[in-house]
mmCIF file of all heavy atoms in Angstrom:
data_model
loop_
_atom_site.group_PDB
_atom_site.id
_atom_site.type_symbol
_atom_site.label_atom_id
_atom_site.label_comp_id
_atom_site.label_asym_id
_atom_site.label_seq_id
_atom_site.Cartn_x
_atom_site.Cartn_y
_atom_site.Cartn_z
ATOM 1 N N ASP V 1 135.347 88.211 185.016
ATOM 2 C CA ASP V 1 134.895 87.075 185.827
ATOM 3 C C ASP V 1 133.564 86.601 185.255
ATOM 4 O O ASP V 1 132.492 86.989 185.714
ATOM 5 C CB ASP V 1 134.757 87.494 187.286
ATOM 6 C CG ASP V 1 134.484 86.312 188.210
ATOM 7 O OD1 ASP V 1 134.398 85.163 187.709
ATOM 8 O OD2 ASP V 1 134.369 86.533 189.426
ATOM 9 N N VAL V 2 133.637 85.745 184.235
ATOM 10 C CA VAL V 2 132.464 85.392 183.427
ATOM 11 C C VAL V 2 131.427 84.581 184.179
ATOM 12 O O VAL V 2 130.301 84.422 183.697
ATOM 13 C CB VAL V 2 132.868 84.655 182.131
ATOM 14 C CG1 VAL V 2 133.717 85.557 181.255
ATOM 15 C CG2 VAL V 2 133.591 83.359 182.445
ATOM 16 N N GLU V 3 131.762 84.063 185.351
ATOM 17 C CA GLU V 3 130.784 83.296 186.127
ATOM 18 C C GLU V 3 130.233 84.087 187.306
ATOM 19 O O GLU V 3 129.417 83.575 188.074
ATOM 20 C CB GLU V 3 131.419 81.990 186.601
ATOM 21 C CG GLU V 3 131.748 81.061 185.439
ATOM 22 C CD GLU V 3 132.341 79.746 185.877
ATOM 23 O OE1 GLU V 3 132.487 79.522 187.100
ATOM 24 O OE2 GLU V 3 132.657 78.934 185.001
ATOM 25 N N ALA V 4 130.652 85.331 187.446
ATOM 26 C CA ALA V 4 130.180 86.168 188.544
ATOM 27 C C ALA V 4 128.771 86.689 188.246
ATOM 28 O O ALA V 4 128.386 86.867 187.089
ATOM 29 C CB ALA V 4 131.129 87.339 188.769
ATOM 30 N N ASP V 5 128.019 86.939 189.294
ATOM 31 C CA ASP V 5 126.637 87.397 189.134
ATOM 32 C C ASP V 5 126.506 88.670 188.303
ATOM 33 O O ASP V 5 125.619 88.737 187.444
ATOM 34 C CB ASP V 5 125.978 87.587 190.505
ATOM 35 C CG ASP V 5 125.684 86.262 191.194
ATOM 36 O OD1 ASP V 5 125.544 85.226 190.481
ATOM 37 O OD2 ASP V 5 125.587 86.243 192.432
ATOM 38 N N PRO V 6 127.338 89.688 188.486
ATOM 39 C CA PRO V 6 127.184 90.894 187.658
ATOM 40 C C PRO V 6 127.379 90.617 186.164
ATOM 41 O O PRO V 6 126.623 91.138 185.332
ATOM 42 C CB PRO V 6 128.261 91.843 188.178
ATOM 43 C CG PRO V 6 128.542 91.387 189.568
ATOM 44 C CD PRO V 6 128.362 89.891 189.540
ATOM 45 N N ALA V 7 128.360 89.796 185.824
ATOM 46 C CA ALA V 7 128.602 89.487 184.409
ATOM 47 C C ALA V 7 127.445 88.678 183.842
ATOM 48 O O ALA V 7 126.974 88.940 182.729
ATOM 49 C CB ALA V 7 129.918 88.728 184.253
ATOM 50 N N LEU V 8 126.961 87.707 184.591
ATOM 51 C CA LEU V 8 125.840 86.887 184.118
ATOM 52 C C LEU V 8 124.561 87.708 183.989
ATOM 53 O O LEU V 8 123.792 87.513 183.048
ATOM 54 C CB LEU V 8 125.626 85.696 185.060
ATOM 55 C CG LEU V 8 126.752 84.665 185.055
ATOM 56 C CD1 LEU V 8 126.522 83.614 186.139
ATOM 57 C CD2 LEU V 8 126.881 84.011 183.695
ATOM 58 N N ALA V 9 124.346 88.633 184.914
ATOM 59 C CA ALA V 9 123.165 89.503 184.832
ATOM 60 C C ALA V 9 123.243 90.377 183.584
ATOM 61 O O ALA V 9 122.233 90.588 182.899
ATOM 62 C CB ALA V 9 123.054 90.359 186.086
ATOM 63 N N SER V 10 124.432 90.875 183.279
ATOM 64 C CA SER V 10 124.619 91.691 182.079
ATOM 65 C C SER V 10 124.307 90.882 180.823
ATOM 66 O O SER V 10 123.644 91.377 179.902
ATOM 67 C CB SER V 10 126.049 92.220 182.034
ATOM 68 O OG SER V 10 126.299 92.887 180.825
ATOM 69 N N VAL V 11 124.763 89.647 180.775
ATOM 70 C CA VAL V 11 124.493 88.782 179.620
ATOM 71 C C VAL V 11 122.996 88.523 179.498
ATOM 72 O O VAL V 11 122.432 88.578 178.399
ATOM 73 C CB VAL V 11 125.274 87.454 179.742
ATOM 74 C CG1 VAL V 11 124.807 86.447 178.712
ATOM 75 C CG2 VAL V 11 126.758 87.710 179.617
ATOM 76 N N ARG V 12 122.335 88.233 180.615
ATOM 77 C CA ARG V 12 120.880 88.001 180.566
ATOM 78 C C ARG V 12 120.143 89.224 180.031
ATOM 79 O O ARG V 12 119.205 89.100 179.232
ATOM 80 C CB ARG V 12 120.364 87.609 181.950
ATOM 81 C CG ARG V 12 120.657 86.157 182.323
ATOM 82 C CD ARG V 12 119.931 85.745 183.589
ATOM 83 N NE ARG V 12 120.490 86.364 184.768
ATOM 84 C CZ ARG V 12 121.512 85.882 185.477
ATOM 85 N NH1 ARG V 12 122.087 84.765 185.109
ATOM 86 N NH2 ARG V 12 121.952 86.514 186.537
ATOM 87 N N GLU V 13 120.557 90.419 180.463
ATOM 88 C CA GLU V 13 119.923 91.656 179.993
ATOM 89 C C GLU V 13 120.120 91.842 178.486
ATOM 90 O O GLU V 13 119.182 92.192 177.766
ATOM 91 C CB GLU V 13 120.485 92.862 180.736
ATOM 92 C CG GLU V 13 120.059 92.941 182.182
ATOM 93 C CD GLU V 13 120.791 94.034 182.946
ATOM 94 O OE1 GLU V 13 121.393 94.921 182.300
ATOM 95 O OE2 GLU V 13 120.761 93.993 184.185
ATOM 96 N N ARG V 14 121.335 91.616 178.027
ATOM 97 C CA ARG V 14 121.621 91.778 176.585
ATOM 98 C C ARG V 14 120.894 90.718 175.764
ATOM 99 O O ARG V 14 120.410 91.003 174.671
ATOM 100 C CB ARG V 14 123.121 91.756 176.344
ATOM 101 C CG ARG V 14 123.801 92.994 176.946
ATOM 102 C CD ARG V 14 125.276 93.015 176.701
ATOM 103 N NE ARG V 14 125.601 93.089 175.293
ATOM 104 C CZ ARG V 14 125.754 94.204 174.610
ATOM 105 N NH1 ARG V 14 125.574 95.361 175.198
ATOM 106 N NH2 ARG V 14 126.085 94.174 173.337
ATOM 107 N N ASN V 15 120.828 89.495 176.274
ATOM 108 C CA ASN V 15 120.089 88.442 175.575
ATOM 109 C C ASN V 15 118.609 88.790 175.486
ATOM 110 O O ASN V 15 117.972 88.576 174.449
ATOM 111 C CB ASN V 15 120.275 87.089 176.271
ATOM 112 C CG ASN V 15 121.626 86.473 176.002
ATOM 113 O OD1 ASN V 15 122.356 86.905 175.124
ATOM 114 N ND2 ASN V 15 121.957 85.459 176.777
ATOM 115 N N ALA V 16 118.054 89.327 176.561
ATOM 116 C CA ALA V 16 116.637 89.703 176.557
ATOM 117 C C ALA V 16 116.380 90.817 175.541
ATOM 118 O O ALA V 16 115.381 90.783 174.811
ATOM 119 C CB ALA V 16 116.203 90.139 177.957
ATOM 120 N N ALA V 17 117.271 91.789 175.480
ATOM 121 C CA ALA V 17 117.117 92.877 174.510
ATOM 122 C C ALA V 17 117.215 92.341 173.085
ATOM 123 O O ALA V 17 116.431 92.733 172.207
ATOM 124 C CB ALA V 17 118.172 93.954 174.744
ATOM 125 N N ALA V 18 118.154 91.441 172.836
ATOM 126 C CA ALA V 18 118.299 90.861 171.500
ATOM 127 C C ALA V 18 117.064 90.046 171.134
ATOM 128 O O ALA V 18 116.577 90.119 169.999
ATOM 129 C CB ALA V 18 119.547 89.977 171.442
ATOM 130 N N ARG V 19 116.535 89.299 172.090
ATOM 131 C CA ARG V 19 115.330 88.498 171.828
ATOM 132 C C ARG V 19 114.154 89.406 171.484
ATOM 133 O O ARG V 19 113.390 89.122 170.557
ATOM 134 C CB ARG V 19 114.987 87.614 173.026
ATOM 135 C CG ARG V 19 113.741 86.769 172.796
ATOM 136 C CD ARG V 19 113.491 85.778 173.895
ATOM 137 N NE ARG V 19 114.443 84.704 173.869
ATOM 138 C CZ ARG V 19 114.346 83.630 173.081
ATOM 139 N NH1 ARG V 19 113.351 83.525 172.243
ATOM 140 N NH2 ARG V 19 115.236 82.685 173.140
ATOM 141 N N ARG V 20 113.986 90.489 172.214
ATOM 142 C CA ARG V 20 112.891 91.426 171.912
ATOM 143 C C ARG V 20 113.036 91.983 170.502
ATOM 144 O O ARG V 20 112.055 92.100 169.763
ATOM 145 C CB ARG V 20 112.857 92.560 172.939
ATOM 146 C CG ARG V 20 112.306 92.151 174.279
ATOM 147 C CD ARG V 20 112.052 93.352 175.184
ATOM 148 N NE ARG V 20 113.258 94.122 175.451
ATOM 149 C CZ ARG V 20 114.117 93.880 176.443
ATOM 150 N NH1 ARG V 20 113.908 92.875 177.261
ATOM 151 N NH2 ARG V 20 115.173 94.655 176.617
ATOM 152 N N THR V 21 114.258 92.326 170.113
ATOM 153 C CA THR V 21 114.504 92.856 168.771
ATOM 154 C C THR V 21 114.163 91.813 167.713
ATOM 155 O O THR V 21 113.491 92.114 166.717
ATOM 156 C CB THR V 21 115.971 93.303 168.631
ATOM 157 O OG1 THR V 21 116.222 94.331 169.591
ATOM 158 C CG2 THR V 21 116.264 93.813 167.232
ATOM 159 N N LEU V 22 114.626 90.591 167.914
ATOM 160 C CA LEU V 22 114.348 89.527 166.949
ATOM 161 C C LEU V 22 112.855 89.231 166.857
ATOM 162 O O LEU V 22 112.300 89.101 165.767
ATOM 163 C CB LEU V 22 115.105 88.252 167.335
ATOM 164 C CG LEU V 22 116.606 88.276 167.109
ATOM 165 C CD1 LEU V 22 117.247 87.057 167.748
ATOM 166 C CD2 LEU V 22 116.919 88.323 165.626
ATOM 167 N N GLU V 23 112.210 89.095 167.997
ATOM 168 C CA GLU V 23 110.797 88.729 168.004
ATOM 169 C C GLU V 23 109.916 89.826 167.432
ATOM 170 O O GLU V 23 108.789 89.556 167.009
ATOM 171 C CB GLU V 23 110.362 88.339 169.419
ATOM 172 C CG GLU V 23 110.977 87.017 169.846
ATOM 173 C CD GLU V 23 110.678 86.632 171.276
ATOM 174 O OE1 GLU V 23 110.221 87.505 172.057
ATOM 175 O OE2 GLU V 23 110.920 85.466 171.623
ATOM 176 N N ALA V 24 110.406 91.062 167.401
ATOM 177 C CA ALA V 24 109.639 92.158 166.820
ATOM 178 C C ALA V 24 109.647 92.104 165.290
ATOM 179 O O ALA V 24 108.790 92.707 164.645
ATOM 180 C CB ALA V 24 110.204 93.501 167.287
ATOM 181 N N HIS V 25 110.579 91.356 164.714
ATOM 182 C CA HIS V 25 110.659 91.233 163.256
ATOM 183 C C HIS V 25 109.468 90.411 162.767
ATOM 184 O O HIS V 25 109.188 89.341 163.298
ATOM 185 C CB HIS V 25 111.966 90.551 162.862
ATOM 186 C CG HIS V 25 112.253 90.622 161.403
ATOM 187 N ND1 HIS V 25 111.608 89.824 160.485
ATOM 188 C CD2 HIS V 25 113.109 91.404 160.699
ATOM 189 C CE1 HIS V 25 112.062 90.103 159.282
ATOM 190 N NE2 HIS V 25 112.976 91.063 159.379
ATOM 191 N N PRO V 26 108.747 90.879 161.762
ATOM 192 C CA PRO V 26 107.525 90.192 161.331
ATOM 193 C C PRO V 26 107.754 88.768 160.821
ATOM 194 O O PRO V 26 106.833 87.950 160.863
ATOM 195 C CB PRO V 26 106.963 91.080 160.224
ATOM 196 C CG PRO V 26 108.032 92.037 159.866
ATOM 197 C CD PRO V 26 109.004 92.091 160.993
ATOM 198 N N GLN V 27 108.944 88.445 160.358
ATOM 199 C CA GLN V 27 109.186 87.101 159.833
ATOM 200 C C GLN V 27 109.939 86.205 160.809
ATOM 201 O O GLN V 27 110.297 85.080 160.472
ATOM 202 C CB GLN V 27 109.968 87.198 158.525
ATOM 203 C CG GLN V 27 109.187 87.891 157.439
ATOM 204 C CD GLN V 27 110.029 88.097 156.191
ATOM 205 O OE1 GLN V 27 111.238 88.047 156.228
ATOM 206 N NE2 GLN V 27 109.358 88.338 155.074
ATOM 207 N N PHE V 28 110.155 86.689 162.020
ATOM 208 C CA PHE V 28 110.961 85.934 162.973
ATOM 209 C C PHE V 28 110.392 84.552 163.258
ATOM 210 O O PHE V 28 111.108 83.548 163.187
ATOM 211 C CB PHE V 28 111.126 86.701 164.287
ATOM 212 C CG PHE V 28 111.791 85.881 165.359
ATOM 213 C CD1 PHE V 28 113.155 85.660 165.317
ATOM 214 C CD2 PHE V 28 111.054 85.314 166.382
ATOM 215 C CE1 PHE V 28 113.779 84.897 166.292
ATOM 216 C CE2 PHE V 28 111.666 84.537 167.354
ATOM 217 C CZ PHE V 28 113.032 84.335 167.315
#
């Protein structure tokens, strides 16, 4: 159920983790 709150919260969490990883790269 891709529009349900639990699925959307999971996507937001994974996006935040990916952003932190990318932004930690010195050339990002």
Side-chain angles (χ1 to χ4, degrees):
D1 188 0
V2 297
E3 294 182 1
D5 288 336
L8 293 173
S10 174
V11 169
R12 282 190 289 273
E13 289 172 16
R14 292 181 63 89
N15 284 347
R19 180 173 288 277
R20 285 190 300 272
T21 299
L22 287 170
E23 290 175 345
H25 191 284
Q27 296 174 341
F28 172 76

